[in-house]
Amino acid sequence: MRFPSITKKVVLRAALADILLSSILICVSWYAFNRQFYCQYNSSIQEIAEAARSYLNPDDFEKYLVTKQPDEAHARVLDVLQKLVDNFDLNVIYVSAVQAPEYTHIFYFYDPVNKHGKWSPYPLGYEEDYFEPSYHRTTKRVYEEKISLVRHTIKSRVGSHVTAQIPVFDSKGEIVALLGAQKNIQEFVNARKSFVTFVVIASTIFTAIFAALFSIYFNFTYIKPVIAITRETNRFSSERGKPSGALLAVKNRDELGNLAHSVYQMEDIVSRSIDGLTKITEETALALATAIDAKDKYTHGHSSRVAEYSREIARISGKSESECKDIYLYALLHDVGKIGIPDSIINKTGRLTDEEYTLIKAHPVIGKQILSNIRQAPGICDGAYYHHERYDGKGYPEGLSGKNIPDIGRIIAVADAYDAMTSNRSYRGTLSQEFVRNEIQNGIGTQFDPEYAKIMIGLIDADKDYKMRES
């Protein structure tokens, strides 16, 4: 199915808007996914912290710093931390003091239950200059900004981890240590990646389906009626024909449907007005042609017959209906210039003198002068002016040849010659059909345009009863 360019543009913009909305959906989903996870993580960490701190006695930390010897209380706390690790699926949980400004970690309780390694708990009071940038930043914030919980994400060979640190206060309300918990979030990262992938794929499929369905709907609902209206108005304006029923087929119950029916009604009104004006024009031209033919008692009906032959030649040659109407009208008036020729010369039965023949040859010029005053039909004078031109250039008044002669002149030349031979004259009767056919045949390429002469011969051959002649 092929769509007009306007449909493609609208669908493209709709698809881009859909992609933009999908992108916003992905970003919002990503944010909401992370926010929900971290809210749950923070809540879990707070729960871990409350449980851990209930077993800690921060006032004992100074003792461990000096002796670095575990006792029963230390063993009990270490056991609690181990259970927290198991219950909350943690990688690591520890308690350490960090002294400013170096922030050297001094581990009091440490249980590295790592799922992917073989670490041993650090001994009590183990000191380490653990200057890892992310730890340093979070530790500094806890000590200097008094933040209740800080966290950061790190990546290692075994995946992504989130570490949270919570302050531990002594009986005086001073921060004496940090409680840290680390959890592997690779499953969350994978789930988030899968979710985003799903959203992208779903959005792409939805966009493709939406674009296809919307393009079909938009094309048939809006573009097709618009194209129908455009084509019909172009056809009507170029052909000046009858209104087409195509606009009545537009079933839209909206402004487009109203527009289509309004255009149809307008065309109907204009068509009837044109028909009326055309009829008046044709009747006027016919009356004028009849008056012209009446000057010659031997050529009654000559202009009407020439006009009919010319219209038929034009139709067969592929001219449009409006062009055929114009050619008929112009051919009716092809001899209008004879108004300026004395009746004595037109009706002379004997041979014309050179002076009289010169006057007869002036009737195309006179016809052009008369008809050129009709400004609404600029080409109306061409039939009168060029119908005596010859294809070989030996005609008059311009001596044009070949395609330089306007179409109307070449068409009327054949029709005029045919009617002259098939009409009664003062000096002879109607010529035989065979003779007329041979004369047209012999004049191809010399007197007549080959295309139009062959069409005339075809009409002669189709006229088995020889009805195309003066009755």
Side-chain angles (χ1 to χ4, degrees):
M1 182 183 297
R2 298 183 64 183
F3 297 111
S5 58
I6 185 173
T7 301
K8 295 177 181 177
K9 291 179 181 178
V10 171
V11 172
L12 177 61
R13 285 167 172 74
L16 291 176
D18 187 59
I19 292 172
L20 178 61
L21 291 175
S22 298
S23 301
I24 294 174
L25 174 64
I26 292 172
C27 293
V28 171
S29 301
W30 179 284
Y31 172 78
F33 206 77
N34 284 347
R35 182 177 178 83
Q36 182 180 8
F37 170 79
Y38 283 117
C39 284
Q40 293 176 350
Y41 182 78
N42 289 349
S43 176
S44 177
I45 290 296
Q46 294 286 2
E47 185 180 351
I48 294 170
E50 293 300 324
R53 283 191 289 206
S54 64
Y55 289 95
L56 296 177
N57 184 4
D59 293 328
D60 291 337
F61 290 175
E62 290 294 331
K63 175 182 67 175
Y64 296 130
L65 277 174
V66 176
T67 64
K68 299 184 180 182
Q69 294 296 322
D71 56 14
E72 184 178 348
H74 175 266
R76 186 170 61 252
V77 171
L78 194 63
D79 182 61
V80 169
L81 295 180
Q82 178 68 54
K83 290 179 179 179
L84 290 175
V85 169
D86 295 336
N87 292 339
F88 290 94
D89 192 25
L90 300 176
N91 290 4
V92 171
I93 189 168
Y94 61 87
V95 181
S96 68
V98 182
Q99 296 176 347
E102 294 82 5
Y103 298 103
T104 300
H105 285 250
I106 305 170
F107 292 95
Y108 295 99
F109 311 104
Y110 184 75
D111 186 16
V113 185
N114 191 281
K115 304 298 188 295
H116 304 281
K118 295 181 180 180
W119 296 348
S120 298
Y122 289 131
L124 186 66
Y126 172 79
E127 295 185 25
E128 179 184 281
D129 185 9
Y130 194 69
F131 194 73
E132 201 278 332
S134 59
Y135 276 98
H136 177 71
R137 285 194 298 270
T138 55
T139 301
K140 184 176 181 180
R141 291 187 66 192
V142 171
Y143 269 83
E144 296 183 3
E145 300 177 27
K146 311 298 182 182
I147 296 176
S148 61
L149 185 150
V150 292
R151 65 170 182 268
H152 63 272
T153 303
I154 60 174
K155 290 184 178 181
S156 67
R157 291 174 297 174
V158 295
S160 298
H161 308 272
V162 173
T163 294
Q165 294 178 336
I166 302 169
V168 178
F169 302 93
D170 61 12
S171 57
K172 299 177 183 179
E174 299 293 332
I175 299 176
V176 295
L178 295 178
L179 187 149
Q182 185 183 92
K183 184 178 181 64
N184 188 304
I185 61 168
Q186 192 59 43
E187 290 184 1
F188 161 75
V189 172
N190 293 339
R192 184 176 61 185
K193 182 178 180 181
S194 299
F195 172 77
V196 173
T197 302
F198 168 77
V199 172
V200 171
I201 294 174
S203 299
T204 303
I205 295 175
F206 174 79
T207 300
I209 295 174
F210 169 78
L213 295 179
F214 180 76
S215 60
I216 294 173
Y217 168 79
F218 185 82
N219 190 66
F220 281 95
T221 305
Y222 298 105
I223 300 303
K224 191 175 180 181
V226 171
I227 291 177
I229 295 171
T230 303
R231 286 177 176 172
E232 172 56 19
T233 52
N234 289 337
R235 182 200 67 80
F236 185 81
S237 62
S238 62
E239 297 181 7
R240 294 178 296 175
K242 298 292 182 182
S244 171
L247 293 183
L248 295 178
V250 177
K251 302 299 183 181
N252 292 45
R253 297 182 180 180
D254 53 19
E255 289 79 0
L256 280 177
N258 295 334
L259 176 62
H261 286 254
S262 298
V263 171
Y264 174 81
Q265 293 173 354
M266 178 195 68
E267 288 184 345
D268 186 52
I269 295 172
V270 172
S271 177
R272 283 189 271 113
S273 299
I274 291 175
D275 287 345
L277 292 173
T278 301
K279 187 175 181 181
I280 293 173
T281 303
E282 289 181 356
E283 289 176 350
T284 303
L286 184 59
L288 182 58
T290 302
I292 296 166
D293 291 347
K295 287 173 65 68
D296 187 344
K297 60 184 178 180
Y298 292 103
T299 59
H300 292 301
H302 168 69
S303 296
S304 296
R305 291 191 298 275
V306 170
E308 291 174 0
Y309 300 152
S310 298
R311 179 170 57 190
E312 189 64 13
I313 292 171
R315 184 189 66 79
I316 295 173
S317 70
K319 304 292 184 186
S320 67
E321 184 179 350
S322 62
E323 288 175 315
C324 290
K325 288 181 180 180
D326 289 342
I327 288 171
Y328 174 81
L329 179 64
Y330 298 169
L332 270 177
L333 301 173
H334 77 283
D335 271 343
V336 70
K338 287 184 178 180
I339 291 176
I341 307 301
D343 291 353
S344 59
I345 296 177
I346 293 175
N347 290 302
K348 186 176 180 178
T349 56
R351 184 181 178 84
L352 296 176
T353 65
D354 292 342
E355 291 79 6
E356 291 171 336
Y357 186 59
T358 300
L359 286 175
I360 285 288
K361 289 172 64 176
H363 80 271
V365 177
I366 297 172
K368 180 181 180 181
Q369 292 171 345
I370 294 171
L371 297 177
S372 60
N373 292 319
I374 305 176
R375 300 183 184 277
Q376 296 301 318
I380 196 171
C381 62
D382 289 348
Y385 190 61
Y386 294 110
H387 72 282
H388 279 296
E389 298 287 355
R390 288 172 56 100
Y391 200 76
D392 59 7
K394 296 180 180 179
Y396 62 89
E398 294 287 345
L400 301 178
S401 63
K403 302 297 182 182
N404 292 323
I405 306 170
D407 262 6
I408 183 67
R410 286 179 277 135
I411 291 173
I412 296 177
V414 179
D416 187 40
Y418 175 81
D419 188 69
M421 291 186 285
T422 57
S423 302
N424 292 307
R425 290 291 186 265
S426 60
Y427 50 88
R428 62 156 173 81
T430 301
L431 300 175
S432 69
Q433 190 180 41
E434 182 180 359
F435 179 85
V436 174
R437 187 188 190 283
N438 289 335
E439 286 297 304
I440 299 292
Q441 180 70 47
N442 294 333
I444 291 177
T446 54
Q447 184 177 354
F448 308 121
D449 180 294
E451 178 188 0
Y452 300 133
K454 290 176 182 178
I455 293 175
M456 190 73 247
I457 291 173
L459 292 173
I460 294 171
D461 293 340
D463 184 22
K464 303 297 184 183
D465 298 327
Y466 199 15
K467 292 183 179 181
M468 285 197 314
R469 59 175 175 169
E470 182 183 9
S471 59

